[in-house]
């Protein structure tokens, strides 16, 4: 008996969502142990530990809008993780720098990410990882393409 192509449809988006939710929960639980959130940890990771990072560069690095990044920066500053420094050549420009506390928490977040990646690299062969990257790249580009087409139809 021939199998009809429509009998079973693989729901790739469901696999992506389930996987991302599991990873997200893992990072959320780890961050909660340190009275933090994954977004706060990600923000600390995106700040250059030596020279700081322009505040205007943080949002795009994290794919977060200006309102949200402003709220996160305010929280991190109010709680002693970061401080703002105006540049000498343009007083409107602000560099976000890590405090000693921010550096400590950044290092903890970095270690959690590295640890998770090491476990994955032990369990997934280099060949499978390359295929995974290729597939994820194709999914990404397809989603971007469909988003662009949808935006044009508006």
């Amino acid at each position: 008996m021939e199998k009809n192509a429509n009998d079973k449809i693989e729901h790739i988006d469901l696999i992506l969502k389930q996987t991302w939710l599991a990873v997200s929960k893992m990072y959320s639980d780890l961050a909660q142990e340190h009275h933090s959130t994954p977004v706060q940890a990600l923000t600390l990771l995106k700040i250059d530990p030596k020279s700081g990072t322009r505040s205007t560069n943080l949002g795009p690095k994290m794919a977060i809008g200006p309102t949200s990044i402003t709220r996160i920066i305010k929280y991190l500053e109010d709680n002693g993780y970061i401080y703002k420094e105006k540049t000498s050549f343009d007083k409107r420009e602000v560099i976000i720098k890590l405090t000693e506390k921010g550096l400590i928490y950044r290092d903890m977040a970095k270690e959690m990410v590295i640890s998770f990646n090491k476990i994955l690299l032990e369990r997934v062969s280099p060949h499978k990882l390359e295929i995974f990257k290729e597939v994820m790249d194709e999914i990404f580009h397809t989603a971007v393409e469909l988003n662009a087409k949808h935006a044009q139809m508006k």
Side-chain angles (χ1 to χ4, degrees):
M1 183 172 151
E2 283 186 41
K3 190 170 185 175
N4 186 340
N6 293 326
D7 284 349
K8 183 177 180 191
I9 298 172
E10 290 292 331
H11 294 284
I12 297 167
D13 55 336
L14 180 60
I15 296 167
L16 286 169
K17 189 171 189 172
Q18 287 175 326
T19 303
W20 178 246
L21 286 173
V23 172
S24 181
K25 182 181 178 344
M26 176 195 69
Y27 280 131
S28 184
D29 290 349
L30 288 169
Q32 273 185 333
E33 290 175 14
H34 301 283
H35 312 289
S36 186
T37 68
V39 173
Q40 292 164 1
L42 177 62
T43 305
L44 295 175
L45 287 169
K46 294 297 181 182
I47 298 171
D48 186 291
K50 292 184 177 121
S51 58
T53 300
R54 286 185 174 86
S55 59
T56 54
N57 291 353
L58 272 179
K61 278 184 171 185
M62 299 169 55
I64 294 177
T67 304
S68 296
I69 197 67
T70 299
R71 196 176 320 119
I72 295 164
I73 288 171
K74 180 171 177 17
Y75 175 85
L76 292 173
E77 185 178 28
D78 290 349
N79 288 279
Y81 295 97
I82 61 169
Y83 65 96
K84 296 176 184 174
E85 189 176 274
K86 293 189 184 291
T87 62
S88 57
F89 49 89
D90 184 350
K91 297 296 181 191
R92 296 171 297 175
E93 188 173 51
V94 176
I95 304 292
I96 305 296
K97 294 195 171 188
L98 297 166
T99 62
E100 194 62 39
K101 179 180 179 181
L103 283 167
I104 291 168
Y105 276 81
R106 182 186 188 281
D107 287 345
M108 283 192 314
K110 184 177 179 181
E111 187 51 45
M112 289 175 194
V113 171
I114 289 171
S115 175
F116 179 57
N117 278 274
K118 280 183 181 176
I119 291 168
L120 291 176
L121 290 171
E122 289 170 3
R123 295 180 180 190
V124 179
S125 72
H127 176 71
K128 284 184 177 180
L129 187 57
E130 264 318 299
I131 293 169
F132 171 75
K133 289 176 185 177
E134 290 172 15
V135 170
M136 291 303 290
D137 191 52
E138 188 61 41
I139 291 169
F140 174 79
H141 289 295
T142 301
V144 168
E145 179 184 314
L146 292 174
N147 283 336
K149 284 181 183 176
H150 179 72
Q152 288 175 351
M153 293 191 311
K154 285 185 178 180

